[in-house]
Amino acid sequence: MKELCIRDSSNRMLVGGSSFKLRAGETLCLIGESGSGKTLTGKALLGMLPFPLKWTGDILFRDEPIRRFRGRDWQRVRGKRIGTIFQQPEQALHAAIPIGRQLGDLLRSHLPITRLAAERKAKAMLGKVSLRDVDRVMKSYPYELSGGMNQRVMIAMALLLEPELLIADEPTSALDVTTQAEILTLLKGLSSENKMSMLFVTHDLLIANYLADTIAVMYRGEIVEQGRATDVLKHPQHAYTRELWQYRSAFMLP
Ligand SMILES: Nc1ncnc2c1ncn2[C@@H]1O[C@H](COP(=O)(O)OP(=O)(O)OP(=O)(O)O)[C@@H](O)[C@H]1O
Ligand SMILES: [Mg+2]
């Protein structure tokens, strides 16, 4: 991604000139304060900016400019090769279809597999995102599950088709710490086993420390600092990153 700028209808710049590169199997953590442009950056990469926002710059997916993707190409890329987890699970899940059928349909729309094989695969993935009582979850509608359970269903959905790239926008911030740890371990495992790349948005430097190969720090719409995770965390250059670090340590036990 090169020189990404996002503007609103009155030409106000919301994201200004961000560039980064994500290699196969690598994780980039995007951190920054609320409103700094993290979600918009993720959405732009998916060609999913809300109307009437516009972007300029170059976004390449596997060397192909995403501007060239049209309706059906996007469906293939977004559905299968890029997985997404956004902040609100309600948007990704269909309210009137049981979870099992949603996962099964997704699998069968992209892979030539039987209903039974799809069901087995869906159940296995629900187990991997630490859901217990998988049979009940398969039969449930989203409103019958808790927020955290739906969040995990959405994570399972994003991972089901073994995407090459996962764009995850604070996917675990609504979960308890144990579940969060299990999911982060799962994601880290998939990124090394399947060479899955991740763009992971988080406010939490400890998560960034665990997952990231590289870190980009956004501040008021710009990437103000980026580099190898160890460098950014050990020697933060920008005042905002330092502040974030101090704030984090203030809450830690001595
Ligand atoms: N649809 C929209 N129309 C106009 N402005 C928007 C729209 N969506 C977001 N913005 C503005 O763009 C800026 C960046 O928003 P964004 O959602 O990317 O922030 P963020 O870094 O993800 O914040 P958070 O950590 O709170 O999720 C904000 O100033 C926001 O007000
Ligand atoms: Mg956001």
Side-chain angles (χ1 to χ4, degrees):
M1 187 185 92
K2 236 192 270 169
E3 299 289 320
L4 173 72
C5 292
I6 302 175
R7 292 190 168 82
D8 67 9
S9 53
S10 50
N11 228 20
R12 191 167 63 101
M13 184 110 84
L14 301 174
V15 170
S18 307
S19 305
F20 56 75
K21 207 177 208 166
L22 199 53
R23 294 194 177 78
E26 275 197 357
T27 296
L28 171 84
C29 279
L30 200 53
I31 60 181
E33 65 179 3
S34 187
S36 58
K38 306 180 297 295
T39 297
L40 288 185
T41 302
K43 292 207 163 152
L45 295 182
L46 290 161
M48 281 170 67
L49 275 182
F51 179 82
L53 304 185
K54 293 247 155 60
W55 64 274
T56 54
D58 289 317
I59 303 180
L60 305 179
F61 176 61
R62 299 259 179 204
D63 298 327
E64 268 189 88
I66 68 158
R67 279 200 191 283
R68 277 204 218 129
F69 296 154
R70 295 283 171 250
R72 295 218 18 225
D73 302 338
W74 257 130
Q75 259 171 28
R76 235 171 288 139
V77 171
R78 211 147 47 199
K80 168 103 181 66
R81 299 177 61 196
I82 307 182
T84 55
I85 309 170
F86 279 108
Q87 282 161 307
Q88 301 91 1
E90 311 80 49
Q91 286 177 6
L93 298 175
H94 198 295
I97 302 177
I99 302 296
R101 225 183 85 205
Q102 296 194 44
L103 296 178
D105 288 351
L106 178 69
L107 277 166
R108 278 156 36 86
S109 67
H110 289 276
L111 303 175
I113 56 173
T114 63
R115 197 173 288 276
L116 197 66
E119 191 182 312
R120 234 181 266 137
K121 222 170 146 78
K123 276 191 191 169
M125 189 47 89
L126 290 176
K128 282 192 189 163
V129 294
S130 311
L131 282 162
R132 329 276 172 230
D133 204 354
V134 165
D135 289 313
R136 177 173 81 88
V137 174
M138 289 284 282
K139 287 192 206 104
S140 303
Y141 292 91
Y143 72 86
E144 294 173 309
L145 302 176
S146 74
M149 290 167 94
N150 278 324
Q151 185 69 14
R152 278 176 280 166
V153 169
M154 193 169 69
I155 295 171
M157 216 162 183
L159 298 174
L160 208 51
L161 294 163
E162 300 178 3
E164 294 160 50
L165 167 65
L166 179 70
I167 296 185
D169 197 343
E170 303 197 49
T172 58
S173 35
L175 303 174
D176 64 89
V177 282
T178 320
T179 313
Q180 185 174 44
E182 284 168 353
I183 290 190
L184 295 177
T185 312
L186 170 71
L187 292 178
K188 199 175 164 102
L190 288 174
S191 85
S192 64
E193 284 156 33
N194 298 358
K195 287 252 164 254
M196 178 178 81
S197 310
M198 275 198 281
L199 176 71
F200 196 100
V201 175
T202 180
H203 289 277
D204 193 328
L205 291 182
L206 292 184
I207 294 183
N209 182 39
Y210 176 66
L211 284 181
D213 297 294
T214 53
I215 291 180
V217 183
M218 289 196 81
Y219 185 71
R220 301 194 178 169
E222 283 178 37
I223 293 181
V224 290
E225 176 164 8
Q226 71 175 308
R228 306 294 310 167
T230 39
D231 296 339
V232 174
L233 292 171
K234 280 210 184 103
H235 312 287
Q237 299 298 314
H238 195 266
Y240 171 70
T241 323
R242 274 191 227 143
E243 206 177 292
L244 204 64
W245 217 191
Q246 275 164 9
Y247 190 66
R248 190 56 170 104
S249 357
F251 283 100
M252 295 215 280
L253 294 171

